[in-house]
């Protein structure tokens, strides 16, 4: 039975999956939702040296340490870069790669390349006192809210999970150079409500690298669907097992 490994996006922590984990576990699966270096229980490790490569090493290290195989690897938002890289490091351990409203990079690209709107955040951080901290975005009027979350109680809880994002995470490139990773099946889940102006999503190719048709689903909610539609998201993920 597959193990689900859920990787949070920028600014978040592993706690953002709290509503999804018990639903997957109730179906009999092992589920891991770690916080990456600099977030959650690892917030004390946040520093300018933390980057994309740090987070890739976090996930690869967990897979090796726990000797995980048959992994459904889910990356949300920025973590699309993380999980893409992980799949190229340990393709034999990945049963399915899921981009959850996530960045989908090509070899050699960074977050700034995939989502050019992040360049303004990097430039602002470079001019700040720290020179490397990118703070979480401000809450916007509905339906955008805070990462698509609009319920006041949920917004308050989500804000308690957030940490600054190091610039290095957004500027380090991925290395996707392992041909074996082409065999890993992929799925894309898009959140289609409250997308901020100026944010565009790359079209998903009709055919996956392994030659099979691409699987794409849409959820009628905002970016942080693990908070706003956990049951629906869990149902889609269980359908991949």
């Amino acid at each position: 039975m597959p193990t689900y490994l859920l990787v949070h996006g920028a600014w978040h922590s592993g706690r953002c999956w709290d509503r999804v984990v018990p639903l997957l576990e109730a179906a009999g699966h092992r589920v891991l939702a770690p916080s990456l270096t600099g977030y959650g229980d690892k917030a004390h490790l946040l520093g300018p040296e933390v980057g994309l490569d740090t987070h890739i090493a976090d996930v690869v290290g967990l897979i090796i340490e726990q000797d995980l195989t048959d992994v459904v690897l889910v990356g949300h938002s920025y973590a699309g870069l993380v999980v893409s890289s992980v799949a190229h490091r340990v393709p034999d351990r990945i049963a399915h790669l899921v981009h959850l409203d996530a960045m989908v990079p090509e070899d050699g690209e960074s977050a700034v390349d995939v989502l050019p709107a992040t360049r303004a955040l990097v430039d602002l951080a470079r001019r700040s006192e720290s020179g490397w901290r990118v703070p979480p975005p401000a809450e916007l009027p509905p339906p955008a809210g805070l990462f698509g979350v609009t319920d006041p109680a949920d917004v308050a809880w989500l804000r308690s999970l957030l940490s600054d994002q190091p610039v290095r995470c957004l500027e380090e490139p991925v290395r996707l150079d392992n041909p074996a990773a082409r065999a890993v099946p992929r799925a894309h889940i898009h959140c289609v409500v409250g997308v901020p102006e100026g944010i565009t999503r790359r079209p998903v190719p009709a055919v996956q690298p392994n030659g099979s048709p691409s699987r794409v689903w849409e959820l009628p909610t905002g970016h942080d669907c693990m908070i706003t539609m956990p049951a629906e998201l869990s149902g889609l993920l269980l359908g991949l097992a």
Side-chain angles (χ1 to χ4, degrees):
M1 182 172 286
T3 294
Y4 285 85
L5 178 48
L6 312 177
V7 186
H8 65 82
W11 298 292
H12 291 55
S13 80
R15 290 286 314 280
C16 71
W17 303 102
D18 279 4
R19 298 177 183 178
V20 174
V21 170
L23 299 175
L24 299 177
E25 290 179 334
H29 295 275
R30 184 183 182 190
V31 186
L32 293 86
S35 290
L36 301 173
T37 296
Y39 307 96
D41 60 338
K42 302 181 181 70
H44 62 287
L45 300 175
L46 186 70
E49 72 285 351
V50 173
L52 175 62
D53 287 345
T54 311
H55 295 155
I56 295 166
D58 287 341
V59 180
V60 172
L62 180 61
I63 290 173
I64 299 301
E65 176 189 336
Q66 297 289 323
D67 194 22
L68 303 180
T69 57
D70 200 20
V71 175
V72 177
L73 182 60
V74 182
H76 177 241
S77 195
Y78 152 79
L81 282 77
V82 179
V83 300
S84 294
S85 299
V86 170
H88 278 255
R89 300 279 184 90
V90 287
D92 56 313
R93 294 175 179 266
I94 310 303
H96 221 108
L97 181 63
V98 183
H99 283 85
L100 175 57
D101 217 35
M103 298 183 185
V104 184
E106 300 290 342
D107 183 36
E109 288 188 325
S110 68
V112 171
D113 297 315
V114 179
L115 191 63
T118 58
R119 170 53 66 188
L121 301 177
V122 169
D123 291 344
L124 188 61
R126 292 293 191 201
R127 295 194 298 269
S128 70
E129 183 177 350
S130 73
W132 61 271
R133 286 179 175 268
V134 180
E139 182 180 356
L140 299 173
L146 181 62
F147 296 107
V149 178
T150 57
D151 178 85
D154 286 344
V155 168
W157 177 70
L158 172 58
R159 193 170 293 284
S160 74
L161 307 181
L162 303 180
S163 301
D164 290 350
Q165 181 86 352
V167 163
R168 183 171 294 202
C169 295
L170 305 177
E171 292 189 320
E172 284 189 337
V174 297
R175 290 287 173 258
L176 309 179
D177 53 4
N178 185 352
R182 297 193 189 108
V184 178
R186 293 122 197 269
H188 300 260
I189 301 173
H190 294 162
C191 302
V192 297
V193 174
V195 179
E197 187 175 349
I199 301 297
T200 58
R201 179 184 290 118
R202 287 182 173 178
V204 176
V207 179
Q208 299 184 38
N210 64 5
S212 63
S214 292
R215 305 178 74 176
V216 183
W217 293 276
E218 292 186 349
L219 285 175
T221 189
H223 186 56
D224 277 10
C225 58
M226 71 287 289
I227 296 174
T228 57
M229 297 188 75
E232 293 82 356
L233 173 59
S234 299
L236 290 177
L237 294 178
L238 289 170
L240 299 172

